[in-house]
Amino acid sequence: MSREQSRRTVDHRRIVITGVGLVAPGAASLAEFRSNLLAGTSGITTLDLRYMGVHPAGVCTFAETRYRKKRENSRGTRAGCIGVYCANEALRDAAIDFSEYDRAATGVYIGLTEHGTVETENEVFNIGQYGNDVDYWTHHHNPRTVLNNPAGEITLNLGLTGPHYAIGAACAAGNAALIQGVQMLRLGEVDLALCGGLSECVGSFGIFASFRAQGALAEHPDPTRASRPFDRDRNGIVISEGGCVFTLERLDRALARGARILGEITGYAMNSDARDVVLPYGPRQRECMELALRRADLTPADITIVNTHATGTRQGDVEECRALRETFAACPATWINNTKSSIGHAMGAAGVLELAGNLPSFTDNLVHPTINLDHLDPDCALPGLVAREPREVERVDAILNNSFGMLGINSVVVVERFVAN
């Protein structure tokens, strides 16, 4: 039985993306985000941090009261605010009004690198202004800081009574949440899934301070040039906030309601380095990519675009590039790019934001460029690396999206152009 014939018999197991809602530095919609990426426009500005001063950072601007009131935002969290916006935008983009889906059979799966850090730091600072009198500690603290808070805020806003929870997977969390949604749909646990990742980390001076202590916090006189993956002069990560939520459906249900299909998730994988709490390991990353390809029934040469995880750290970029060279060395029609060069590192939102930024390539046949690459590090030289200007290709058939995180967690998602059989 051919791959196409096999697919026709299992449409209920085929999972497709039908909607995207996002917030990124410099963009509050997929169209705006894509336009910035193709133009090589950086979304990085500066942030004056408590105790630390001014640093490059990715800060998001969007209509925060479009889907809930200012009072609700003040009672909730920044991550919840971003999540509510993205989830509503994803449903709107997918044209879902719950006339065809049950809110009790809708799952919300949100990837987070961290949560509660911002709220705790702010509360400790606030009571410090009152002699550390805990009577000034807010009663909202506990519901704000539980790990499921952002996913829960989405269900409260939309009246969704199906399952919701957070996926903690460091900077691989966005991809991990997407994988979770695919699995729950295939198992029949839910009929509709809202999956994605969120980051509010620019509100935490501790995250900036920790990366600086590790020698991994990017600095540059021009903030728009601070995020420089693969560049010889790179000096670390630009920390960003952001969020992206996808609407996932089983193919048969999507086709029945005449949905516009943005892509089909055909492969995924996760594994662990089991070597170091911080330092990445290319051989495990290569194994993760190979497993995702096998599950998608693809070869490396079938991939048109590889979106890299590279963050601008010295060893991290080199390890991933080594894995990519070993995997895609004999693939002259495979193109490689990096999204963090334009928006910085959005932590738990990184994987899904970067996938979203590449999804329109299925229709416009353009590979967005890696920017700020003035002097390529020889150890980061890659076949097919797209830099400075977009590359037009004849056709984009498949995207492989890398997302890796601390404690050695790796995730890879493969999305293919949807082809009706």
Side-chain angles (χ1 to χ4, degrees):
M1 182 182 292
S2 70
R3 187 170 185 245
E4 289 74 20
Q5 289 171 327
S6 176
R7 280 185 166 186
R8 280 196 290 270
T9 66
V10 289
D11 277 0
H12 66 284
R13 287 186 53 81
R14 296 175 64 182
I15 307 303
V16 293
I17 300 170
T18 57
V20 181
L22 65 80
V23 171
S29 69
L30 179 55
E32 188 176 16
F33 187 33
R34 181 66 173 177
S35 177
N36 289 347
L37 291 173
L38 292 176
T41 301
S42 171
I44 303 303
T45 56
T46 58
L47 193 62
D48 192 352
L49 296 154
R50 188 163 62 221
Y51 309 132
M52 290 190 60
V54 177
H55 282 272
V59 181
C60 297
T61 302
F62 60 101
E64 298 179 17
T65 56
R66 178 175 293 174
Y67 298 110
R68 68 179 189 181
K69 297 178 182 177
K70 185 176 181 180
R71 180 181 177 185
E72 293 173 310
N73 283 333
S74 66
R75 291 180 60 186
T77 63
R78 176 65 171 174
C81 179
I82 293 172
V84 165
Y85 178 89
C86 291
N88 276 277
E89 289 285 292
L91 289 169
R92 181 180 178 184
D93 189 47
I96 290 174
D97 60 6
F98 291 101
S99 60
E100 294 140 316
Y101 280 108
D102 185 350
R103 292 175 194 265
T106 300
V108 179
Y109 310 105
I110 298 297
L112 301 172
T113 294
E114 80 297 314
H115 183 69
T117 305
V118 172
E119 291 75 21
T120 301
E121 286 180 4
N122 287 341
E123 286 304 314
V124 171
F125 178 80
N126 288 340
I127 67 168
Q129 313 308 301
Y130 298 97
N132 294 321
D133 184 348
V134 295
D135 286 343
Y136 289 93
W137 191 274
T138 177
H139 66 280
H140 295 306
H141 181 79
N142 286 352
R144 282 175 176 165
T145 57
V146 292
L147 190 59
N148 65 308
N149 169 279
E153 288 197 42
I154 291 170
T155 64
L156 288 167
N157 176 263
L158 288 164
L160 303 177
T161 57
H164 83 268
Y165 46 87
I167 310 293
C171 298
N175 270 1
L178 200 58
I179 292 167
Q180 183 72 19
V182 170
Q183 292 172 335
M184 293 299 101
L185 284 164
R186 285 179 173 171
L187 287 171
E189 294 292 324
V190 294
D191 293 328
L192 176 68
L194 293 173
C195 313
L198 305 172
S199 173
E200 60 181 357
C201 58
V202 296
S204 169
F205 75 88
I207 292 174
F208 282 81
S210 181
F211 277 115
R212 188 168 73 177
Q214 296 169 19
L217 186 64
E219 295 184 4
H220 196 283
D222 179 355
T224 66
R225 300 186 61 76
S227 186
R228 293 173 286 171
F230 309 137
D231 192 85
R232 181 191 64 199
D233 301 318
R234 67 191 183 281
N235 58 13
I237 292 169
V238 172
I239 297 171
S240 298
E241 67 176 351
C244 179
V245 173
F246 291 103
T247 302
L248 301 188
E249 303 178 60
R250 287 187 286 269
L251 177 60
D252 53 352
R253 293 289 296 269
L255 291 176
R257 70 179 191 87
R260 177 197 55 163
I261 296 173
L262 303 176
E264 179 178 357
I265 301 173
T266 58
Y268 57 81
M270 295 188 71
N271 70 0
S272 302
D273 294 343
R275 288 175 62 91
D276 192 271
V277 296
V278 175
L279 300 177
Y281 187 53
R284 292 290 178 271
Q285 295 173 358
R286 174 178 52 79
E287 290 169 5
C288 198
M289 288 187 280
E290 290 172 348
L291 178 56
L293 287 168
R294 286 199 301 274
R295 287 175 171 168
D297 195 20
L298 297 175
T299 68
D302 294 320
I303 299 296
T304 314
I305 298 173
V306 176
N307 183 258
T308 60
H309 174 76
T311 64
T313 61
R314 209 36 84 179
Q315 182 174 347
D317 290 10
V318 171
E319 289 290 322
E320 184 179 10
C321 286
R322 183 177 297 121
L324 289 167
R325 282 194 296 270
E326 292 171 355
T327 307
F328 295 98
C331 303
T334 297
W335 306 99
I336 298 174
N337 65 5
N338 180 274
T339 309
K340 291 183 182 73
S341 60
S342 295
I343 63 169
H345 191 355
M347 306 295 172
V352 280
L353 270 176
E354 293 160 18
L355 176 59
N358 281 281
L359 275 181
S361 65
F362 287 131
T363 54
D364 63 25
N365 295 319
L366 293 171
V367 185
H368 83 69
T370 306
I371 66 170
N372 298 332
L373 188 50
D374 300 322
H375 306 100
L376 178 64
D377 181 345
D379 288 334
C380 295
L382 293 166
L385 180 61
V386 178
R388 291 177 285 280
E389 299 291 334
R391 175 173 287 274
E392 185 172 4
V393 298
E394 183 177 345
R395 176 184 170 99
V396 175
D397 288 313
I399 299 167
L400 183 142
N401 189 60
N402 282 342
S403 199
F404 312 132
M406 289 186 179
L407 283 299
I409 187 166
N410 305 311
S411 67
V412 177
V413 170
V414 177
V415 179
E416 292 186 61
R417 170 192 293 275
F418 171 67
V419 178
N421 296 319

